[in-house]
Amino acid sequence: MRTRLTRTARLAVAGTAAAALLLAGCGTDGDADDVAADPTDDATTAAEAPAEGQEGESEAPADQEPVELKIAWWGNDERAAIMTEVIDMFEEKYPYITVVEEPVGAPDDLFNRLATDFASDTAPDVFALGGAKPQEYGAAGTLLDLSTVSDVLDIESYADFTLTNAIVDDTLYGLPTGGNAIGTVINTTILEEAGIEVPGDDWTWEDLSEIATQVSNEVDGVVGLDLRIQDILGTYVAQYVEEGMYSWEGDLAVGPDIIQQWYEYEQSLVESGALPDPAVIVEHHNVTPDQSLFGTGKAAIAFSYSNQIPAYAAGTGGAEVVMVPPPSSTDLSGVAVLPSQFWAIAAGSDHPTEAAMLVDWLLNDTEAAQVILANRGLQFNPEVLEAIRPNLSPEDAQAAEYLEKVLETGLVAAPQPAGGAILNELSQRIESDILFGRTTPEAGAQQWVEELSASLEDAQ
């Protein structure tokens, strides 16, 4: 039930990834992590919609019955406002379609709800997925095969590497909203107050520890590092394991030694004061970026996906730089360009054509893209990216610049397989046990490997 690329395909994917995002740097308009859509909409829909770019509203045939769609996603109030605006535009274009919005705050809130909805046959027609969820839901048969609606949904504009996470047994179950990459964000104002120069890209994990410790010691009310372990662990692993966290066959590729090494490093950060008290770390495990220590101006350094840079900007006043995470002693950067989210359609939707039209609007229409911009990442569709790039905010443009930089040394990661969805919760739970002294890094790392391996095996 897993996706696997042949060696030849993997090499092709790497080349396609570089070409797609380098194109994004050549005058295309998009953010550093939503790389999504193509404005091509030349297929005649059930609503007899005009071709892309044609003025005027689409009108349903006289005998067209009203259609109601439900759509669910996660995100903050800003994202909800953006979605409301673009959905209002969609409903204006297709007056016979009503879209009911069902947003939630955090990804886990949505995934928990979807589990219940699918069990009771009440799932929304369209919803966002991330991580291993496209693999899990695709393998379970709960997602619509998008080739069945390709007459109204453009899937040809997406490079192969952008689709890997949503392909199961050669069937495509989702389209990416955009892409991003892990980076290090640094509040330059805080570093200046501490008398510290911004490091260069040749900095080390030891440098990070020293800088963060100095900040904590010298700036009142501020800690050196805001660490969200789930955001950086995969990058750290990929600096030591060429395949990254998972193999292309869907197995765990890392052993307990590297995980133990990471937990020991984190433990040392707490002991030096570079990280806050463990209780504060746990309290901030799953907050949104704007509520994090870095996002509220109470931390100097954080690891972030590039699409979250604007959300952090309020707390820093825009006084931030984005750079690659500290490299390891190996030649591996560990940083990959990844799809941020996917739009998927429920296999049991009563209105798959209209649901596909909505997804196409969200991803492949330049009018909608001018509102969405980089909210869900740097657009993967070259034509959409071309259209919106001039309108990117400075923060989004900064994210785009970082992604282009990552392409020079970054990697193409294997998809998170079914069963990998426990990674965040597992990593945080064991982190808590270690930092509160309930277990050792060695025992915690062994438990981490055993639990994640078992989850992957159970999902096969």
Side-chain angles (χ1 to χ4, degrees):
M1 304 298 285
R2 296 187 297 254
T3 301
R4 182 174 71 177
L5 295 185
T6 64
R7 179 178 180 276
T8 301
R10 293 199 299 271
L11 293 175
V13 159
T16 307
L21 284 174
L22 286 177
L23 175 61
C26 299
T28 49
D29 186 61
D31 182 359
D33 59 49
D34 275 343
V35 188
D38 177 1
T40 308
D41 184 16
D42 55 0
T44 301
T45 71
E48 298 183 354
E52 178 66 33
Q54 179 177 330
E55 296 181 358
E57 295 181 359
S58 299
E59 294 183 1
D63 59 349
Q64 177 65 59
E65 294 292 330
V67 169
E68 180 180 279
L69 300 175
K70 294 181 179 180
I71 182 171
W73 70 87
W74 72 83
N76 58 16
D77 291 343
E78 178 185 5
R79 175 168 292 169
I82 289 172
M83 288 295 293
T84 294
E85 183 173 353
V86 295
I87 287 172
D88 285 348
M89 295 161 61
F90 176 80
E91 290 176 329
E92 183 176 354
K93 185 173 183 178
Y94 302 106
Y96 75 100
I97 303 176
T98 299
V99 181
V100 178
E101 302 164 35
E102 299 178 338
V104 297
D108 285 345
D109 294 334
L110 177 58
F111 301 152
N112 291 337
R113 179 199 141 175
L114 287 176
T116 301
D117 287 347
F118 277 117
S120 60
D121 197 26
T122 58
D125 300 272
V126 177
F127 41 88
L129 293 176
K133 293 303 180 182
Q135 294 281 307
E136 291 183 5
Y137 283 122
T142 56
L143 304 182
L144 183 71
D145 175 354
L146 296 188
S147 68
T148 63
V149 288
S150 60
D151 57 334
V152 295
L153 174 59
D154 172 25
I155 61 178
E156 297 298 324
S157 297
Y158 295 85
D160 289 344
F161 87 98
T162 71
L163 304 176
T164 301
N165 279 36
I167 296 176
V168 180
D169 292 339
D170 298 322
T171 300
L172 179 64
Y173 291 110
L175 286 182
T177 65
N180 56 41
I182 283 287
T184 311
V185 287
I186 298 178
N187 187 318
T188 56
T189 300
I190 293 176
L191 257 62
E192 182 179 354
E193 185 177 350
I196 303 172
E197 293 185 2
V198 176
D201 285 343
D202 60 347
W203 67 328
T204 65
W205 289 101
E206 290 74 21
D207 292 334
L208 170 61
S209 178
E210 292 175 3
I211 291 170
T213 300
Q214 185 175 340
V215 167
S216 295
N217 290 337
E218 298 189 13
V219 183
D220 290 339
V222 173
V223 295
L225 180 62
D226 177 6
L227 181 63
R228 305 174 75 184
I229 186 171
Q230 69 270 28
D231 288 351
I232 191 60
L233 183 57
T235 299
Y236 186 82
V237 165
Q239 291 183 348
Y240 292 92
V241 181
E242 187 169 4
E243 287 184 290
M245 187 73 75
Y246 306 103
S247 71
W248 287 95
E249 289 72 31
D251 301 314
L252 188 63
V254 62
D257 55 334
I258 302 302
I259 304 303
Q260 177 181 341
Q261 182 175 300
W262 171 260
Y263 279 128
E264 288 174 344
Y265 177 71
E266 187 180 359
Q267 197 174 48
S268 72
L269 293 174
V270 172
E271 292 170 354
S272 72
L275 280 173
D277 184 85
V280 177
I281 295 175
V282 172
E283 179 186 353
H284 288 81
H285 264 165
N286 297 306
V287 299
T288 56
D290 57 309
Q291 296 298 315
S292 67
L293 294 173
F294 187 89
T296 55
K298 297 177 182 177
I301 304 171
F303 297 107
S304 167
Y305 288 105
S306 50
N307 67 317
Q308 296 175 333
I309 291 171
Y312 283 117
T316 65
E320 61 185 33
V321 296
V322 186
M323 54 190 295
V324 294
S328 69
S329 57
T330 70
D331 293 330
L332 302 175
S333 74
V335 182
V337 177
L338 302 169
S340 51
Q341 300 172 22
F342 287 84
W343 284 120
I345 299 171
S349 171
D350 291 332
H351 307 287
T353 296
E354 286 78 10
M357 290 163 57
L358 176 57
V359 173
D360 194 68
W361 173 260
L362 294 173
L363 296 182
N364 299 328
D365 189 283
T366 55
E367 184 181 359
Q370 296 295 349
V371 177
I372 298 170
L373 293 175
N375 184 262
R376 294 178 186 269
L378 179 65
Q379 309 280 351
F380 283 138
N381 184 310
E383 292 186 39
V384 170
L385 190 58
E386 175 82 26
I388 68 171
R389 192 177 183 94
N391 297 325
L392 289 178
S393 70
E395 294 82 12
D396 288 336
Q398 184 182 32
E401 182 179 354
Y402 174 71
L403 270 187
E404 292 162 7
K405 182 178 181 179
V406 167
L407 280 174
E408 298 176 7
T409 57
L411 56 90
V412 177
Q416 186 180 62
I422 72 166
L423 176 64
N424 291 355
E425 182 277 330
L426 173 65
S427 300
Q428 291 175 344
R429 171 162 44 85
I430 293 179
E431 174 197 46
S432 298
D433 287 343
I434 291 171
L435 295 185
F436 283 106
R438 293 189 289 264
T439 190
T440 65
E442 181 179 9
Q446 186 63 44
Q447 179 184 351
W448 186 95
V449 169
E450 290 175 356
E451 287 197 33
L452 185 52
S453 296
S455 181
L456 297 177
E457 184 175 350
D458 290 344
Q460 292 182 10

